[in-house]
Amino acid sequence: AVRAAEAGAEATAAMRPRLGRASYLGDRAIGVPDAGAAAAVIWLRALSPFVR
């Protein structure tokens, strides 16, 4: 799950944001992963030792 989340977060770097604060940046946000997706990766990494 962590690897899939990492891949998904990295994939957001190629997307143009349409909603939220990042949408104000438009094309300037391309190349930067979505902050929410990156946060989800951090949460999953933190929880992974406790989940089987």
Side-chain angles (χ1 to χ4, degrees), residues 15-30 32-36:
M15 299 177 187
R16 185 176 187 274
R18 295 180 293 158
L19 298 171
R21 285 184 283 168
S23 66
Y24 299 118
L25 297 173
D27 290 338
R28 292 180 293 168
I30 295 175
V32 179
D34 179 69

